[in-house]
Amino acid sequence: SGGYRTPASRRAPPALAAAHSNIRTPYVYGATGPSSFDCSGLTSWAYAQAGVGIPRTSEAQTGAGTRISSMGDLQVGDLVFFFNDLHHVGLYAGNGQVLHAPRTGTVVRYESMSTIGGPFMFGVRV
């Protein structure tokens, strides 16, 4: 059991797979894919590919499911929120990694949650 947890729900694995299919896609503020994304555009598009409608903005996505307060309880595919104003969201990818669209000038990528630049606030299990 090398720390791997079973996926959060049947919807989480296809959502994460959809986001993974967009590795290296450019970040564009306000973009909802599939040729470019912002952070919440990526997460909402990914869940849409899994047949799940979630709100468009990171702030609204905080209400899309069950809140997970402890990083240790996160499961693959959970939404993870950063910064006190909750302006950044990504998909938890396991092992302390997030799959996200970071900011202008970057691309969709995996990154350690410890290098996001703002504190992890909580997760949401859709």
Side-chain angles (χ1 to χ4, degrees):
S1 77
Y4 181 78
R5 300 176 190 281
T6 53
S9 71
R10 287 177 293 118
R11 305 180 290 199
L16 189 68
H20 177 84
S21 74
N22 282 286
I23 290 287
R24 292 184 289 283
T25 301
Y27 177 101
V28 174
Y29 182 79
T32 56
S35 59
S36 57
F37 294 98
D38 68 9
C39 67
S40 55
L42 177 67
T43 54
S44 59
W45 182 88
Y47 267 95
Q49 306 317 297
V52 183
I54 64 172
R56 166 66 184 91
T57 67
S58 58
E59 294 86 350
Q61 286 177 15
T62 63
T66 306
R67 194 167 289 203
I68 310 294
S69 54
S70 167
M71 203 179 297
D73 291 334
L74 291 172
Q75 294 180 345
V76 170
D78 287 345
L79 298 171
V80 283
F81 297 89
F82 299 88
F83 299 94
N84 292 327
D85 64 358
L86 307 172
H87 75 260
H88 190 65
V89 62
L91 291 163
Y92 187 63
N95 298 314
Q97 300 283 308
V98 63
L99 177 55
H100 69 146
R103 68 193 72 83
T104 301
T106 66
V107 296
V108 174
R109 67 187 184 200
Y110 290 91
E111 188 170 350
S112 168
M113 288 172 62
S114 63
T115 63
I116 297 295
F120 166 74
M121 303 308 290
F122 53 84
V124 167
R125 185 154 303 147
V126 174

